Amino acid sequence: MSTSRLPEVIKSAKSQLLAEWIRQQLASTGMRRDLIKDGELQAQANDFLNHFHTGAESGEYSNIKAAAWVPTLEMLNQLVRQRERMGFSPSETALFIFSLKEPLFAQLRVSLKGEPDQLINEMLNTSGVLDKLGLYTTEVFQSAREEVIRRQQEELLELSTPVVKMWDGIVALPLIGTLDSARTSVVMESLLQRIVETGSDIAIIDITGVPTVDTLVAQHLLKTVAAARLMGADCIISGIRPQIAQTMVHLAIDLSAVTTKATMAEALKVALQRTGHRVVKGEAK
């Protein structure tokens, strides 16, 4: 059974401890009072202190992943993600934990006066577990930020692959930027969905905005063409610049089964002919 006196100290001096902790947070230069109200901070601090007391009662200070600390970690996870959305920085968020050290040390010194060995032991345990919890908030903050960035990248990916209806039975997909495996999946999904929606027989894939074409990019293009054919649509690849043509020849990339054109205009002309349309020049007025 644990001989730690920390839970006893927290319970007996909770009011003073909570008041001093909040005072120090509000006085800190890293405190964003423009982002959080005093009442909300009070509620969060009280909630954390209750969970912290429960965790400390276990006497398990070396492993915050132990069962006794799970409620504390869950509370911090929610708090960190909320503060990340509110605009707090990682250091401003971690301050919530680290600012508890001084008030706790002060109460320990008062309660354990005349017991220097016990005081040192309790301060080491307290410092260690608060450090671990502070680092945990940084990890959660980083994870939350990465999730936001990942969602934004997915949204940008979808926006960067617009499928345009050029004519009855003809759609076009202008590609801009690097074509990798993740983007190929989005390109396929967008193109196939649009083919079904419009009942198109021909899809023009324009790679004018693709900076380089290597073997991998060519494979992604061929996969997209094959997927479109399974949906009953033929594909034309436009935007084959001289440099890209030379690269393809050098890499022995075989696109002989696919119609290729130098420009979107030429590809559209071929597509119109295949769908039974004829482009003629009108008389100038």
Side-chain angles (χ1 to χ4, degrees):
M1 186 173 179
S2 172
T3 58
S4 174
R5 302 271 292 278
L6 179 59
E8 175 189 333
V9 171
I10 295 174
K11 184 176 181 180
S12 62
K14 182 182 177 182
S15 298
Q16 305 95 300
L17 183 60
L18 192 60
E20 180 59 21
W21 181 26
I22 292 174
R23 187 195 68 77
Q24 289 205 13
Q25 288 186 74
L26 294 175
S28 173
T29 54
M31 182 61 200
R32 296 294 302 274
R33 300 192 66 170
D34 58 320
L35 297 179
I36 188 170
K37 296 180 180 179
D38 292 358
E40 186 177 2
L41 177 62
Q42 173 90 23
Q44 290 176 348
N46 184 67
D47 191 18
F48 174 79
L49 205 55
N50 289 335
H51 288 305
F52 185 77
H53 175 262
T54 301
E57 283 185 316
S58 69
E60 178 60 78
Y61 295 115
S62 60
N63 179 22
I64 62 170
K65 298 299 176 66
W69 291 103
V70 170
T72 307
L73 298 183
E74 291 177 348
M75 181 266 171
L76 283 178
N77 192 300
Q78 183 178 356
L79 180 143
V80 171
R81 292 177 182 278
Q82 178 187 358
R83 291 198 172 194
E84 189 274 333
R85 291 191 298 267
M86 293 169 66
F88 282 83
S89 69
S91 58
E92 290 165 351
T93 303
L95 176 67
F96 177 79
I97 300 298
F98 292 131
S99 60
L100 179 57
K101 276 190 178 184
E102 190 172 332
L104 260 179
F105 288 169
Q107 290 298 328
L108 285 170
R109 283 193 292 267
V110 172
S111 299
L112 300 177
K113 186 177 181 180
E115 301 179 59
D117 292 340
Q118 183 73 24
L119 175 61
I120 292 173
N121 186 54
E122 297 292 357
M123 291 180 74
L124 287 174
N125 286 336
T126 301
S127 180
V129 74
L130 286 176
D131 285 344
K132 291 181 178 69
L133 291 172
L135 291 174
Y136 175 77
T137 65
T138 303
E139 292 172 1
V140 173
F141 194 100
Q142 182 65 26
S143 176
R145 183 62 56 85
E146 289 174 354
E147 289 175 10
V148 172
I149 293 173
R150 187 164 53 251
R151 282 199 307 271
Q152 291 175 340
Q153 288 176 334
E154 290 173 356
E155 291 170 359
L156 287 173
L157 203 58
E158 293 176 0
L159 291 173
S160 66
T161 54
V163 182
V164 184
K165 182 176 180 179
M166 302 293 288
W167 204 271
D168 288 339
I170 303 172
V171 294
L173 174 64
L175 296 177
I176 300 175
T178 303
L179 191 63
D180 54 21
S181 299
R183 192 175 181 201
T184 299
S185 178
V186 176
V187 166
M188 280 189 189
E189 184 178 348
S190 300
L191 181 60
L192 298 182
Q193 183 64 35
R194 194 67 173 142
I195 288 173
V196 172
E197 290 175 355
T198 60
S200 297
D201 298 318
I202 296 180
I204 301 172
I205 302 175
D206 185 71
I207 63 171
T208 303
V210 177
T212 58
V213 174
D214 54 19
T215 305
L216 189 59
V217 171
Q219 289 175 352
H220 291 320
L221 287 173
L222 291 174
K223 286 180 182 179
T224 304
V225 170
R229 282 177 175 169
L230 288 174
M231 298 301 295
D234 196 13
C235 285
I236 302 173
I237 297 178
S238 65
I240 305 295
R241 304 184 299 277
Q243 305 94 304
I244 290 180
Q246 291 177 4
T247 301
M248 287 183 170
V249 171
H250 179 70
L251 296 175
I253 297 172
D254 184 15
L255 292 180
S256 59
V258 183
T259 302
T260 58
K261 292 295 177 182
T263 66
M264 171 77 84
E266 293 177 359
L268 180 57
K269 183 178 179 181
V270 172
L272 289 170
Q273 290 173 349
R274 290 184 181 179
T275 54
H277 296 86
R278 187 162 57 93
V279 180
V280 296
K281 290 184 178 180
E283 295 182 0
K285 293 185 179 179

